[in-house]
Amino acid sequence: MNETSTASWPHKDLLDVSQLSVAETLHLFDTASYFQEINTRPVKKVPTLKGKSVVLFFAEPSTRTKTSFDMAGKRLSADTFSLGGSSSSLVKGESLKDTALTLQAMNPDAIVIRHSSSGAAQFLAERLDCSIVNAGDGWHAHPTQALLDAFTLREQWGEFRGKTLTILGDIAHSRVARSNVNLLTKLGVNVRLCAPRTLLPVGVQTWPVEVFSDLHESVAGADAVMCLRLQLERQAAGLLPDLREYSRRFCLTPDAMTRAKKNAKVLHPGPMNRGVEISSVLADADGSLILNQVASGVAVRMAILYLHLMRPERSGDKQ
């Protein structure tokens, strides 16, 4: 990669997909495509970010996202440091601000943060000089997941406009759904949502989507279906009548997929509850992009770290 690929990147932080224009999103995808090729080489390491340091501050449990960012940083030769909520001074009562200022005093080039509070990434971005990458904050946003989902679909579709995607499951509590709706509709995808009424967000009628409560109707003619994790704790909260009833009505099965377009794709951001959200047959079928999403995640996060850490410093970077 050369300097011209980062010179025009205007963002110090990545907080939400809403801050990205279509042109910036496609530029990020092109950068990820370059790094995707590196990930297929026998030696999957380049010196691009040698000397840069990235703190992985995950105050919520994570396997895929944290490992993906760790691998992305290391493949670009950055030094990555992991910090979990249970191993930080947060458990001793330290505020998020003081934890962040302590980290900044160590002069990292970026902090990747996952936190249960919506707005945590924005909070840090307004106070710290280094780049902040939102790896999921509360129910608000999960921009890197949406970017890797869209990148995975672009590799299959070639273009977005005119395509139809159904997002199925617990929409109300999903930051993945919010970010995907935001990004994919901007790229020209027709997005449908399907869930029980109790798992639809308040105000969904104002979103630029079609809303369904019938699984078969929602996938009819779709080019792809994305299943979301059913947060089983919602059952205890009385938002689901019965897990078996939910699975009967909303588990994506081969029979339901016969109503989608021929060769329609299946996605799931994980972790999966097989037999609850998606049948094992579909999860492991040729049309499944679930492992493609994982592979794309490393390349997209390499692109995110590269664009944010290698852009020229500008006055007034702190938001």
Side-chain angles (χ1 to χ4, degrees), residues 16-18 20-22 25-26 29 143-151 160 177-189 191:
D16 195 356
V17 290
S18 61
L20 301 178
S21 68
V22 171
T25 301
L26 297 179
F29 289 167
T144 68
Q145 180 67 47
L147 287 165
L148 77 86
D149 290 338
F151 178 79
F160 295 104
R178 284 172 171 76
S179 289
N180 266 302
V181 168
N182 193 335
L183 181 64
L184 290 168
T185 56
K186 185 161 49 178
L187 292 171
V189 177
V191 178

PDB file of all heavy atoms in Angstrom, residues 16-18 20-22 25-26 29 143-151 160 177-189 191:
ATOM      1  N   ASP A  16     -19.033   4.688  14.241  1.00  0.00           N
ATOM      2  CA  ASP A  16     -20.293   4.187  13.691  1.00  0.00           C
ATOM      3  C   ASP A  16     -20.198   4.242  12.170  1.00  0.00           C
ATOM      4  O   ASP A  16     -19.472   5.090  11.631  1.00  0.00           O
ATOM      5  CB  ASP A  16     -21.457   5.055  14.177  1.00  0.00           C
ATOM      6  CG  ASP A  16     -22.808   4.394  13.957  1.00  0.00           C
ATOM      7  OD1 ASP A  16     -22.851   3.289  13.363  1.00  0.00           O
ATOM      8  OD2 ASP A  16     -23.821   4.980  14.362  1.00  0.00           O
ATOM      9  N   VAL A  17     -20.915   3.373  11.487  1.00  0.00           N
ATOM     10  CA  VAL A  17     -20.873   3.392  10.023  1.00  0.00           C
ATOM     11  C   VAL A  17     -21.507   4.654   9.457  1.00  0.00           C
ATOM     12  O   VAL A  17     -21.262   5.008   8.302  1.00  0.00           O
ATOM     13  CB  VAL A  17     -21.562   2.144   9.435  1.00  0.00           C
ATOM     14  CG1 VAL A  17     -20.736   0.902   9.701  1.00  0.00           C
ATOM     15  CG2 VAL A  17     -22.980   1.987   9.967  1.00  0.00           C
ATOM     16  N   SER A  18     -22.324   5.347  10.257  1.00  0.00           N
ATOM     17  CA  SER A  18     -22.987   6.555   9.749  1.00  0.00           C
ATOM     18  C   SER A  18     -21.981   7.638   9.389  1.00  0.00           C
ATOM     19  O   SER A  18     -22.298   8.540   8.612  1.00  0.00           O
ATOM     20  CB  SER A  18     -23.990   7.080  10.782  1.00  0.00           C
ATOM     21  OG  SER A  18     -23.327   7.411  11.982  1.00  0.00           O
ATOM     22  N   LEU A  20     -19.294   7.212   7.687  1.00  0.00           N
ATOM     23  CA  LEU A  20     -18.616   6.869   6.438  1.00  0.00           C
ATOM     24  C   LEU A  20     -19.504   7.171   5.238  1.00  0.00           C
ATOM     25  O   LEU A  20     -20.681   6.788   5.211  1.00  0.00           O
ATOM     26  CB  LEU A  20     -18.240   5.382   6.420  1.00  0.00           C
ATOM     27  CG  LEU A  20     -17.323   4.887   7.536  1.00  0.00           C
ATOM     28  CD1 LEU A  20     -17.083   3.382   7.390  1.00  0.00           C
ATOM     29  CD2 LEU A  20     -16.004   5.635   7.534  1.00  0.00           C
ATOM     30  N   SER A  21     -18.931   7.827   4.240  1.00  0.00           N
ATOM     31  CA  SER A  21     -19.645   8.001   2.976  1.00  0.00           C
ATOM     32  C   SER A  21     -19.564   6.697   2.187  1.00  0.00           C
ATOM     33  O   SER A  21     -18.775   5.794   2.521  1.00  0.00           O
ATOM     34  CB  SER A  21     -19.011   9.144   2.169  1.00  0.00           C
ATOM     35  OG  SER A  21     -17.713   8.754   1.741  1.00  0.00           O
ATOM     36  N   VAL A  22     -20.348   6.610   1.123  1.00  0.00           N
ATOM     37  CA  VAL A  22     -20.284   5.425   0.261  1.00  0.00           C
ATOM     38  C   VAL A  22     -18.886   5.282  -0.331  1.00  0.00           C
ATOM     39  O   VAL A  22     -18.306   4.188  -0.367  1.00  0.00           O
ATOM     40  CB  VAL A  22     -21.344   5.504  -0.851  1.00  0.00           C
ATOM     41  CG1 VAL A  22     -21.136   4.398  -1.879  1.00  0.00           C
ATOM     42  CG2 VAL A  22     -22.757   5.408  -0.256  1.00  0.00           C
ATOM     43  N   THR A  25     -16.509   3.992   2.239  1.00  0.00           N
ATOM     44  CA  THR A  25     -16.769   2.579   2.512  1.00  0.00           C
ATOM     45  C   THR A  25     -16.162   1.703   1.422  1.00  0.00           C
ATOM     46  O   THR A  25     -15.509   0.690   1.711  1.00  0.00           O
ATOM     47  CB  THR A  25     -18.285   2.333   2.598  1.00  0.00           C
ATOM     48  OG1 THR A  25     -18.837   3.144   3.632  1.00  0.00           O
ATOM     49  CG2 THR A  25     -18.584   0.874   2.888  1.00  0.00           C
ATOM     50  N   LEU A  26     -16.352   2.086   0.169  1.00  0.00           N
ATOM     51  CA  LEU A  26     -15.803   1.294  -0.939  1.00  0.00           C
ATOM     52  C   LEU A  26     -14.280   1.342  -0.948  1.00  0.00           C
ATOM     53  O   LEU A  26     -13.622   0.350  -1.279  1.00  0.00           O
ATOM     54  CB  LEU A  26     -16.380   1.791  -2.267  1.00  0.00           C
ATOM     55  CG  LEU A  26     -17.905   1.642  -2.417  1.00  0.00           C
ATOM     56  CD1 LEU A  26     -18.373   2.182  -3.766  1.00  0.00           C
ATOM     57  CD2 LEU A  26     -18.337   0.177  -2.263  1.00  0.00           C
ATOM     58  N   PHE A  29     -13.206  -1.119   1.541  1.00  0.00           N
ATOM     59  CA  PHE A  29     -13.348  -2.480   0.998  1.00  0.00           C
ATOM     60  C   PHE A  29     -12.201  -2.812   0.037  1.00  0.00           C
ATOM     61  O   PHE A  29     -11.680  -3.925   0.032  1.00  0.00           O
ATOM     62  CB  PHE A  29     -14.681  -2.629   0.272  1.00  0.00           C
ATOM     63  CG  PHE A  29     -15.880  -2.647   1.187  1.00  0.00           C
ATOM     64  CD1 PHE A  29     -17.166  -2.508   0.668  1.00  0.00           C
ATOM     65  CD2 PHE A  29     -15.743  -2.802   2.554  1.00  0.00           C
ATOM     66  CE1 PHE A  29     -18.276  -2.533   1.502  1.00  0.00           C
ATOM     67  CE2 PHE A  29     -16.850  -2.823   3.401  1.00  0.00           C
ATOM     68  CZ  PHE A  29     -18.118  -2.685   2.871  1.00  0.00           C
ATOM     69  N   PRO A 143     -19.784  -1.238  14.195  1.00  0.00           N
ATOM     70  CA  PRO A 143     -19.445  -0.870  12.813  1.00  0.00           C
ATOM     71  C   PRO A 143     -18.531  -1.863  12.113  1.00  0.00           C
ATOM     72  O   PRO A 143     -18.692  -2.093  10.906  1.00  0.00           O
ATOM     73  CB  PRO A 143     -18.767   0.497  12.974  1.00  0.00           C
ATOM     74  CG  PRO A 143     -18.332   0.563  14.399  1.00  0.00           C
ATOM     75  CD  PRO A 143     -19.355  -0.212  15.152  1.00  0.00           C
ATOM     76  N   THR A 144     -17.581  -2.466  12.815  1.00  0.00           N
ATOM     77  CA  THR A 144     -16.656  -3.365  12.108  1.00  0.00           C
ATOM     78  C   THR A 144     -17.362  -4.648  11.684  1.00  0.00           C
ATOM     79  O   THR A 144     -17.022  -5.234  10.664  1.00  0.00           O
ATOM     80  CB  THR A 144     -15.406  -3.685  12.949  1.00  0.00           C
ATOM     81  OG1 THR A 144     -15.753  -4.487  14.079  1.00  0.00           O
ATOM     82  CG2 THR A 144     -14.728  -2.419  13.422  1.00  0.00           C
ATOM     83  N   GLN A 145     -18.373  -5.101  12.453  1.00  0.00           N
ATOM     84  CA  GLN A 145     -19.139  -6.280  12.040  1.00  0.00           C
ATOM     85  C   GLN A 145     -19.949  -5.964  10.783  1.00  0.00           C
ATOM     86  O   GLN A 145     -20.007  -6.765   9.843  1.00  0.00           O
ATOM     87  CB  GLN A 145     -20.072  -6.734  13.160  1.00  0.00           C
ATOM     88  CG  GLN A 145     -20.904  -7.971  12.819  1.00  0.00           C
ATOM     89  CD  GLN A 145     -20.083  -9.239  12.659  1.00  0.00           C
ATOM     90  OE1 GLN A 145     -19.228  -9.525  13.490  1.00  0.00           O
ATOM     91  NE2 GLN A 145     -20.315 -10.005  11.596  1.00  0.00           N
ATOM     92  N   ALA A 146     -20.586  -4.783  10.766  1.00  0.00           N
ATOM     93  CA  ALA A 146     -21.367  -4.408   9.582  1.00  0.00           C
ATOM     94  C   ALA A 146     -20.461  -4.283   8.353  1.00  0.00           C
ATOM     95  O   ALA A 146     -20.839  -4.701   7.249  1.00  0.00           O
ATOM     96  CB  ALA A 146     -22.103  -3.090   9.836  1.00  0.00           C
ATOM     97  N   LEU A 147     -19.287  -3.727   8.532  1.00  0.00           N
ATOM     98  CA  LEU A 147     -18.373  -3.573   7.402  1.00  0.00           C
ATOM     99  C   LEU A 147     -17.909  -4.927   6.878  1.00  0.00           C
ATOM    100  O   LEU A 147     -17.842  -5.149   5.668  1.00  0.00           O
ATOM    101  CB  LEU A 147     -17.164  -2.719   7.823  1.00  0.00           C
ATOM    102  CG  LEU A 147     -17.467  -1.222   7.991  1.00  0.00           C
ATOM    103  CD1 LEU A 147     -16.350  -0.526   8.754  1.00  0.00           C
ATOM    104  CD2 LEU A 147     -17.655  -0.554   6.620  1.00  0.00           C
ATOM    105  N   LEU A 148     -17.623  -5.855   7.777  1.00  0.00           N
ATOM    106  CA  LEU A 148     -17.178  -7.171   7.285  1.00  0.00           C
ATOM    107  C   LEU A 148     -18.340  -7.951   6.671  1.00  0.00           C
ATOM    108  O   LEU A 148     -18.142  -8.720   5.714  1.00  0.00           O
ATOM    109  CB  LEU A 148     -16.485  -7.953   8.411  1.00  0.00           C
ATOM    110  CG  LEU A 148     -17.321  -8.631   9.500  1.00  0.00           C
ATOM    111  CD1 LEU A 148     -17.769 -10.026   9.090  1.00  0.00           C
ATOM    112  CD2 LEU A 148     -16.507  -8.717  10.789  1.00  0.00           C
ATOM    113  N   ASP A 149     -19.554  -7.750   7.182  1.00  0.00           N
ATOM    114  CA  ASP A 149     -20.720  -8.403   6.570  1.00  0.00           C
ATOM    115  C   ASP A 149     -20.930  -7.885   5.140  1.00  0.00           C
ATOM    116  O   ASP A 149     -21.156  -8.669   4.207  1.00  0.00           O
ATOM    117  CB  ASP A 149     -21.982  -8.152   7.402  1.00  0.00           C
ATOM    118  CG  ASP A 149     -21.972  -8.888   8.733  1.00  0.00           C
ATOM    119  OD1 ASP A 149     -21.238  -9.894   8.850  1.00  0.00           O
ATOM    120  OD2 ASP A 149     -22.688  -8.462   9.655  1.00  0.00           O
ATOM    121  N   ALA A 150     -20.871  -6.574   4.989  1.00  0.00           N
ATOM    122  CA  ALA A 150     -21.059  -5.980   3.661  1.00  0.00           C
ATOM    123  C   ALA A 150     -19.921  -6.377   2.720  1.00  0.00           C
ATOM    124  O   ALA A 150     -20.154  -6.648   1.535  1.00  0.00           O
ATOM    125  CB  ALA A 150     -21.143  -4.455   3.780  1.00  0.00           C
ATOM    126  N   PHE A 151     -18.706  -6.416   3.235  1.00  0.00           N
ATOM    127  CA  PHE A 151     -17.559  -6.833   2.419  1.00  0.00           C
ATOM    128  C   PHE A 151     -17.740  -8.273   1.946  1.00  0.00           C
ATOM    129  O   PHE A 151     -17.472  -8.601   0.785  1.00  0.00           O
ATOM    130  CB  PHE A 151     -16.283  -6.692   3.247  1.00  0.00           C
ATOM    131  CG  PHE A 151     -15.031  -7.145   2.542  1.00  0.00           C
ATOM    132  CD1 PHE A 151     -14.409  -6.327   1.604  1.00  0.00           C
ATOM    133  CD2 PHE A 151     -14.466  -8.385   2.806  1.00  0.00           C
ATOM    134  CE1 PHE A 151     -13.252  -6.742   0.947  1.00  0.00           C
ATOM    135  CE2 PHE A 151     -13.317  -8.812   2.156  1.00  0.00           C
ATOM    136  CZ  PHE A 151     -12.701  -7.982   1.223  1.00  0.00           C
ATOM    137  N   PHE A 160     -24.115  -3.934  -4.784  1.00  0.00           N
ATOM    138  CA  PHE A 160     -25.158  -3.986  -3.753  1.00  0.00           C
ATOM    139  C   PHE A 160     -26.543  -3.603  -4.279  1.00  0.00           C
ATOM    140  O   PHE A 160     -27.558  -4.158  -3.836  1.00  0.00           O
ATOM    141  CB  PHE A 160     -24.807  -3.034  -2.599  1.00  0.00           C
ATOM    142  CG  PHE A 160     -23.569  -3.438  -1.848  1.00  0.00           C
ATOM    143  CD1 PHE A 160     -22.365  -2.769  -2.045  1.00  0.00           C
ATOM    144  CD2 PHE A 160     -23.584  -4.482  -0.946  1.00  0.00           C
ATOM    145  CE1 PHE A 160     -21.222  -3.130  -1.360  1.00  0.00           C
ATOM    146  CE2 PHE A 160     -22.451  -4.862  -0.250  1.00  0.00           C
ATOM    147  CZ  PHE A 160     -21.254  -4.182  -0.460  1.00  0.00           C
ATOM    148  N   ALA A 177     -27.585  -5.565  13.984  1.00  0.00           N
ATOM    149  CA  ALA A 177     -28.697  -5.229  13.089  1.00  0.00           C
ATOM    150  C   ALA A 177     -28.732  -3.737  12.806  1.00  0.00           C
ATOM    151  O   ALA A 177     -28.898  -3.317  11.647  1.00  0.00           O
ATOM    152  CB  ALA A 177     -30.016  -5.684  13.712  1.00  0.00           C
ATOM    153  N   ARG A 178     -28.572  -2.916  13.830  1.00  0.00           N
ATOM    154  CA  ARG A 178     -28.616  -1.460  13.641  1.00  0.00           C
ATOM    155  C   ARG A 178     -27.534  -1.002  12.663  1.00  0.00           C
ATOM    156  O   ARG A 178     -27.786  -0.226  11.739  1.00  0.00           O
ATOM    157  CB  ARG A 178     -28.455  -0.746  14.980  1.00  0.00           C
ATOM    158  CG  ARG A 178     -29.705  -0.774  15.840  1.00  0.00           C
ATOM    159  CD  ARG A 178     -29.442  -0.232  17.244  1.00  0.00           C
ATOM    160  NE  ARG A 178     -30.687  -0.054  17.991  1.00  0.00           N
ATOM    161  CZ  ARG A 178     -31.372  -1.055  18.530  1.00  0.00           C
ATOM    162  NH1 ARG A 178     -30.929  -2.295  18.413  1.00  0.00           N
ATOM    163  NH2 ARG A 178     -32.498  -0.825  19.189  1.00  0.00           N
ATOM    164  N   SER A 179     -26.318  -1.487  12.871  1.00  0.00           N
ATOM    165  CA  SER A 179     -25.228  -1.051  12.000  1.00  0.00           C
ATOM    166  C   SER A 179     -25.397  -1.590  10.581  1.00  0.00           C
ATOM    167  O   SER A 179     -25.082  -0.912   9.603  1.00  0.00           O
ATOM    168  CB  SER A 179     -23.877  -1.498  12.583  1.00  0.00           C
ATOM    169  OG  SER A 179     -23.578  -0.750  13.749  1.00  0.00           O
ATOM    170  N   ASN A 180     -25.889  -2.817  10.449  1.00  0.00           N
ATOM    171  CA  ASN A 180     -26.097  -3.372   9.113  1.00  0.00           C
ATOM    172  C   ASN A 180     -27.190  -2.637   8.357  1.00  0.00           C
ATOM    173  O   ASN A 180     -27.057  -2.390   7.155  1.00  0.00           O
ATOM    174  CB  ASN A 180     -26.410  -4.870   9.202  1.00  0.00           C
ATOM    175  CG  ASN A 180     -25.170  -5.726   9.037  1.00  0.00           C
ATOM    176  OD1 ASN A 180     -24.476  -5.638   8.025  1.00  0.00           O
ATOM    177  ND2 ASN A 180     -24.850  -6.533  10.032  1.00  0.00           N
ATOM    178  N   VAL A 181     -28.285  -2.310   9.033  1.00  0.00           N
ATOM    179  CA  VAL A 181     -29.347  -1.545   8.375  1.00  0.00           C
ATOM    180  C   VAL A 181     -28.798  -0.210   7.900  1.00  0.00           C
ATOM    181  O   VAL A 181     -29.015   0.215   6.754  1.00  0.00           O
ATOM    182  CB  VAL A 181     -30.541  -1.339   9.333  1.00  0.00           C
ATOM    183  CG1 VAL A 181     -31.509  -0.296   8.769  1.00  0.00           C
ATOM    184  CG2 VAL A 181     -31.265  -2.654   9.575  1.00  0.00           C
ATOM    185  N   ASN A 182     -28.058   0.449   8.772  1.00  0.00           N
ATOM    186  CA  ASN A 182     -27.488   1.763   8.440  1.00  0.00           C
ATOM    187  C   ASN A 182     -26.583   1.685   7.219  1.00  0.00           C
ATOM    188  O   ASN A 182     -26.711   2.463   6.269  1.00  0.00           O
ATOM    189  CB  ASN A 182     -26.699   2.258   9.663  1.00  0.00           C
ATOM    190  CG  ASN A 182     -26.328   3.725   9.567  1.00  0.00           C
ATOM    191  OD1 ASN A 182     -26.230   4.282   8.493  1.00  0.00           O
ATOM    192  ND2 ASN A 182     -26.100   4.346  10.709  1.00  0.00           N
ATOM    193  N   LEU A 183     -25.675   0.708   7.216  1.00  0.00           N
ATOM    194  CA  LEU A 183     -24.682   0.619   6.143  1.00  0.00           C
ATOM    195  C   LEU A 183     -25.270   0.074   4.844  1.00  0.00           C
ATOM    196  O   LEU A 183     -25.065   0.634   3.758  1.00  0.00           O
ATOM    197  CB  LEU A 183     -23.519  -0.260   6.595  1.00  0.00           C
ATOM    198  CG  LEU A 183     -22.387  -0.433   5.577  1.00  0.00           C
ATOM    199  CD1 LEU A 183     -21.707   0.909   5.301  1.00  0.00           C
ATOM    200  CD2 LEU A 183     -21.362  -1.451   6.059  1.00  0.00           C
ATOM    201  N   LEU A 184     -26.013  -1.024   4.935  1.00  0.00           N
ATOM    202  CA  LEU A 184     -26.463  -1.695   3.709  1.00  0.00           C
ATOM    203  C   LEU A 184     -27.526  -0.902   2.960  1.00  0.00           C
ATOM    204  O   LEU A 184     -27.550  -0.897   1.725  1.00  0.00           O
ATOM    205  CB  LEU A 184     -26.962  -3.099   4.042  1.00  0.00           C
ATOM    206  CG  LEU A 184     -25.839  -4.069   4.451  1.00  0.00           C
ATOM    207  CD1 LEU A 184     -26.415  -5.352   5.038  1.00  0.00           C
ATOM    208  CD2 LEU A 184     -24.950  -4.388   3.254  1.00  0.00           C
ATOM    209  N   THR A 185     -28.413  -0.222   3.673  1.00  0.00           N
ATOM    210  CA  THR A 185     -29.391   0.619   2.973  1.00  0.00           C
ATOM    211  C   THR A 185     -28.686   1.775   2.269  1.00  0.00           C
ATOM    212  O   THR A 185     -29.076   2.181   1.176  1.00  0.00           O
ATOM    213  CB  THR A 185     -30.467   1.152   3.932  1.00  0.00           C
ATOM    214  OG1 THR A 185     -29.844   1.846   5.013  1.00  0.00           O
ATOM    215  CG2 THR A 185     -31.317   0.036   4.487  1.00  0.00           C
ATOM    216  N   LYS A 186     -27.625   2.292   2.889  1.00  0.00           N
ATOM    217  CA  LYS A 186     -26.856   3.380   2.252  1.00  0.00           C
ATOM    218  C   LYS A 186     -26.191   2.896   0.972  1.00  0.00           C
ATOM    219  O   LYS A 186     -26.010   3.646   0.016  1.00  0.00           O
ATOM    220  CB  LYS A 186     -25.815   3.904   3.247  1.00  0.00           C
ATOM    221  CG  LYS A 186     -25.033   5.096   2.777  1.00  0.00           C
ATOM    222  CD  LYS A 186     -24.359   5.861   3.913  1.00  0.00           C
ATOM    223  CE  LYS A 186     -23.583   5.005   4.858  1.00  0.00           C
ATOM    224  NZ  LYS A 186     -22.910   5.799   5.904  1.00  0.00           N
ATOM    225  N   LEU A 187     -25.829   1.613   0.952  1.00  0.00           N
ATOM    226  CA  LEU A 187     -25.166   1.041  -0.226  1.00  0.00           C
ATOM    227  C   LEU A 187     -26.168   0.598  -1.300  1.00  0.00           C
ATOM    228  O   LEU A 187     -25.766   0.124  -2.364  1.00  0.00           O
ATOM    229  CB  LEU A 187     -24.295  -0.147   0.196  1.00  0.00           C
ATOM    230  CG  LEU A 187     -23.072   0.209   1.052  1.00  0.00           C
ATOM    231  CD1 LEU A 187     -22.414  -1.056   1.603  1.00  0.00           C
ATOM    232  CD2 LEU A 187     -22.057   1.022   0.256  1.00  0.00           C
ATOM    233  N   GLY A 188     -27.471   0.696  -0.995  1.00  0.00           N
ATOM    234  CA  GLY A 188     -28.474   0.389  -2.002  1.00  0.00           C
ATOM    235  C   GLY A 188     -29.174  -0.944  -1.840  1.00  0.00           C
ATOM    236  O   GLY A 188     -29.939  -1.352  -2.724  1.00  0.00           O
ATOM    237  N   VAL A 189     -28.922  -1.655  -0.735  1.00  0.00           N
ATOM    238  CA  VAL A 189     -29.550  -2.951  -0.496  1.00  0.00           C
ATOM    239  C   VAL A 189     -30.950  -2.750   0.081  1.00  0.00           C
ATOM    240  O   VAL A 189     -31.169  -1.868   0.926  1.00  0.00           O
ATOM    241  CB  VAL A 189     -28.698  -3.796   0.487  1.00  0.00           C
ATOM    242  CG1 VAL A 189     -29.385  -5.120   0.792  1.00  0.00           C
ATOM    243  CG2 VAL A 189     -27.301  -4.029  -0.089  1.00  0.00           C
ATOM    244  N   VAL A 191     -33.371  -3.899   2.614  1.00  0.00           N
ATOM    245  CA  VAL A 191     -33.241  -4.657   3.856  1.00  0.00           C
ATOM    246  C   VAL A 191     -34.623  -4.942   4.434  1.00  0.00           C
ATOM    247  O   VAL A 191     -35.468  -4.044   4.533  1.00  0.00           O
ATOM    248  CB  VAL A 191     -32.386  -3.902   4.894  1.00  0.00           C
ATOM    249  CG1 VAL A 191     -32.310  -4.691   6.202  1.00  0.00           C
ATOM    250  CG2 VAL A 191     -30.979  -3.667   4.346  1.00  0.00           C
TER     251      VAL A 191
END
